Amino acid sequence: MRFTPLMYVEFMNSSVTSTVTEFVLLGFPGSQDMQIFLFSMFLGIYVFTITGNGAIVCAVRWDQRLHTPMYILLGNFAFLEIWYITSTVPNMLANSLSETKTISFVGCFLQFYFFTSLAATEIYFLSIMAYDRYLAICRPLHYPAIMTLHFCYILIFLCWAFGFLSYLVSTVQLSQLVFCGPNIIDHFVCDMDPLMALSCVPSPITEIVFYILSSLLIILALLYILGSYTLLLIAILKVPSAAGRRKAFSTCGSHLTVVCLFFGALLVMYMSPTFDVPAEIQKIITLFYSVITPFLNPLIYSLRNKEMKAALKKVLRLE
């Protein structure tokens, strides 16, 4: 049946009294014992993530040896991971022990905005971290002149600025849609697909704008990072000493591991059809790039980097 303008007006008039004012985030269903287990698990992950990434931030801030572009970028990346996991997990913890599992209309779209904006910011940070490693290994003589601290701080500012501007229009468009019920979101976070499914009036333009932007952002960033690491690998293989190759692989391996984990989940979630994927699988994929990656970040960077391990020991022991 065709949805005419007159029918739209009548629909709007009839649904004014039933406009949604809050949403229900189902999260991960299960018995009370299961909810307590999930609460304990996610609380442990959250505390470890905050502590581990916070230690990296403190190490970069307090250790003069780490006041270089590579570690300043890493410190900002760790700071970003703290906020990224905070955009989802605290609400998950509250919902695990809640009977209603509700989130306000405004709260849902604020979560969507910060969740998508911080993900975009992470993509930008991973790109400039790849650029930093490319300069350091492929153009070592020019690196100090190009990657100055001033230029590094400019790149950091641009990452945060573009990250929080990227999905502003999509968030505003999504929040202007009509939601008249039902209000149950089978997810643990307010994301595009479940919110679009609840809209009473189809809005393909909003969905198209969001997925075109997401696709361009993910594909272009991933191509750039993979291109940078292809050149890096070629340059590393030309290093004459085995010790030099090991150090280069160790430095770049940490970053590449995070790239694979983060982009791998994003590609599955946003670059492949999800309409026939069960909701539980979508939740696990989202959990992987929004919770697991920030959780693993301190382990990946601290275990593979001698300078960072030494600085973290100094911070944790308060030496």
Side-chain angles (χ1 to χ4, degrees), residues 143-165:
Y143 179 76
I146 297 175
M147 188 57 75
T148 62
L149 288 180
H150 178 70
F151 183 56
C152 179
Y153 287 126
I154 290 176
L155 291 177
I156 290 170
F157 170 78
L158 290 176
C159 282
W160 286 101
F162 281 117
F164 277 84
L165 288 174

Side-chain angles (χ1 to χ4, degrees), residues 14 30 112 185 194 247 265 269 274 298 315:
S14 64
F112 172 80
I185 299 175
K247 183 176 181 181
M269 190 66 190
T274 58
V315 169

Side-chain angles (χ1 to χ4, degrees), residues 65-284:
R65 296 171 299 176
L66 302 185
H67 288 183
T68 62
M70 184 182 80
Y71 290 108
I72 291 172
L73 290 172
L74 176 57
N76 275 268
F77 186 73
F79 180 72
L80 165 65
E81 295 286 50
I82 292 173
W83 288 106
Y84 190 33
I85 196 172
T86 300
S87 69
T88 57
V89 172
N91 190 67
M92 288 170 58
L93 294 175
N95 281 353
S96 296
L97 302 181
S98 171
E99 294 183 1
T100 59
K101 301 183 183 299
T102 58
I103 183 172
S104 68
F105 185 89
V106 174
C108 186
F109 288 101
L110 280 175
Q111 185 188 57
F112 172 80
Y113 174 66
F114 281 105
F115 179 68
T116 53
S117 297
L118 290 167
T121 306
E122 182 154 342
I123 291 174
Y124 293 131
F125 260 104
L126 289 172
S127 299
I128 65 168
M129 289 167 77
Y131 174 66
D132 174 73
R133 290 300 83 208
Y134 163 76
L135 287 178
I137 295 175
C138 296
R139 302 184 64 186
L141 298 180
H142 298 89
Y143 179 76
I146 297 175
M147 188 57 75
T148 62
L149 288 180
H150 178 70
F151 183 56
C152 179
Y153 287 126
I154 290 176
L155 291 177
I156 290 170
F157 170 78
L158 290 176
C159 282
W160 286 101
F162 281 117
F164 277 84
L165 288 174
S166 294
Y167 289 101
L168 182 60
V169 172
S170 292
T171 303
V172 173
Q173 287 180 322
L174 189 59
S175 65
Q176 298 303 308
L177 298 181
V178 179
F179 298 92
C180 55
N183 66 338
I184 298 175
I185 299 175
D186 191 8
H187 212 313
F188 64 85
V189 64
C190 294
D191 205 359
M192 174 60 75
D193 281 346
L195 285 171
M196 287 298 300
L198 296 182
S199 174
C200 301
V201 181
S203 181
I205 294 178
T206 300
E207 200 165 8
I208 289 171
V209 169
F210 176 82
Y211 281 104
I212 287 178
L213 176 61
S214 298
S215 299
L216 288 174
L217 185 59
I218 294 170
I219 292 174
L220 293 178
L222 186 58
L223 288 176
Y224 174 78
I225 293 171
L226 292 178
S228 298
Y229 273 96
T230 300
L231 297 175
L232 278 173
L233 181 60
I234 295 173
I236 291 172
L237 293 176
K238 292 180 180 178
V239 175
S241 67
R245 287 196 297 271
R246 280 196 301 270
K247 183 176 181 181
F249 274 122
S250 176
T251 302
C252 299
S254 302
H255 181 247
L256 194 56
T257 302
V258 174
V259 167
C260 292
L261 291 173
F262 184 71
F263 277 95
L266 283 181
L267 287 172
V268 173
M269 190 66 190
Y270 293 105
M271 298 299 297
S272 60
T274 58
F275 55 86
D276 58 347
V277 177
E280 297 305 314
I281 301 299
Q282 293 190 35
K283 293 176 192 177
I284 293 173

